[in-house]
Amino acid sequence: MIRAAVYCRVSTSEQDCDRQERDLREFADRAGYEIVEVHRETASGAKENRQERKKVLEAARARKISAVLVTEPSRWSRSTIDLLATLQDLNAWGTSLITLSGLSLDLNTSQGKLMATILAAIGEFERDLIRERVRSGIASARAKGQKFGRPRVSESAIASVRQLRAQGKSYSQIAAVSGISRTKVAELCRSEA
């Protein structure tokens, strides 16, 4: 039986990996893979500092697994360069990246190289389209007067916060009275020193 790691990734905390994990477990059962590790992560696919993915790569490097199961290549990587680089690493360690459709991205074959390149390019294109839509939406909202970021604290509010602190009030008490977050109150009081 082929020892496999399941890798699930979502981009935001509003999402979860439950469906991916369930689908991959069912796939592994049908295909005869033995799942030895399950890794779930909430992180952008474009980021390189994904700790759970690093653990999967370490397991492959240590030859604890022979396959990494993902729902689709974009769950592993949204960058063509990153996908190809990690596929080369996995290949060197005798590990395949296998998608839910059963597609094995094996860089030992010209078909595998072609598929990996095409799928990675599509994933990167999709990420760029999403980024453009988000930027366009933000620009449209700003044009309509929508404000982004934290509201500025007025000078009079800052003076009031500092006066309350000088009277011995705690950050929590000041926050309750002023309507300013406790963290911001502490920041304002520290910046005075």
Side-chain angles (χ1 to χ4, degrees):
M1 195 173 260
I2 297 173
R3 296 169 55 83
V6 166
Y7 178 75
C8 308
R9 183 188 62 78
V10 292
S11 301
T12 67
S13 58
E14 289 82 37
Q15 302 167 313
D16 66 50
C17 295
D18 294 344
R19 180 196 53 81
Q20 288 180 48
E21 183 179 343
R22 183 190 66 244
D23 292 350
L24 288 168
R25 283 184 179 279
E26 289 172 2
F27 170 76
D29 189 48
R30 285 190 313 270
Y33 292 104
E34 176 191 0
I35 297 174
V36 294
E37 297 182 10
V38 174
H39 298 273
R40 297 165 59 113
E41 190 150 55
T42 302
S44 167
K47 304 288 186 211
E48 292 184 20
N49 62 345
R50 291 181 278 147
Q51 296 305 312
E52 292 303 309
R53 190 176 84 150
K54 286 179 182 177
K55 291 176 185 176
V56 173
L57 291 169
E58 286 300 319
R61 181 180 291 124
R63 304 202 189 273
K64 294 178 181 175
I65 57 173
S66 298
V68 178
L69 306 179
V70 294
T71 53
E72 57 190 54
S74 66
R75 296 298 88 202
W76 182 255
S77 177
R78 287 279 185 124
S79 155
T80 305
I81 293 170
D82 177 66
L83 178 64
L84 293 175
T86 55
L87 283 175
Q88 286 174 340
D89 288 342
L90 290 170
N91 187 55
W93 303 321
T95 304
S96 299
L97 183 69
I98 300 171
T99 66
L100 193 58
S101 66
L103 175 66
S104 177
L105 300 176
D106 183 357
L107 295 184
N108 287 323
T109 67
S110 32
Q111 294 92 342
K113 288 178 188 174
L114 174 65
M115 287 305 296
T117 303
I118 290 171
L119 292 171
I122 290 170
E124 191 167 346
F125 176 68
E126 180 185 27
R127 186 188 82 229
D128 290 344
L129 284 177
I130 291 168
R131 185 182 300 137
E132 287 175 19
R133 284 194 301 263
V134 168
R135 286 182 183 154
S136 174
I138 290 172
S140 175
R142 281 192 174 136
K144 293 175 183 173
Q146 175 73 35
K147 302 285 186 202
F148 291 88
R150 294 182 183 161
R152 293 191 152 264
V153 179
S154 69
E155 289 300 319
S156 62
I158 293 171
S160 175
V161 164
R162 290 180 177 161
Q163 182 181 13
L164 289 168
R165 184 65 178 163
Q167 293 172 5
K169 301 289 184 193
S170 71
Y171 294 153
S172 296
Q173 291 170 325
I174 297 169
V177 170
S178 67
I180 300 170
S181 75
R182 184 187 179 289
T183 303
K184 187 66 177 178
V185 167
E187 180 184 315
L188 293 172
C189 291
R190 280 194 302 271
S191 66
E192 180 186 37

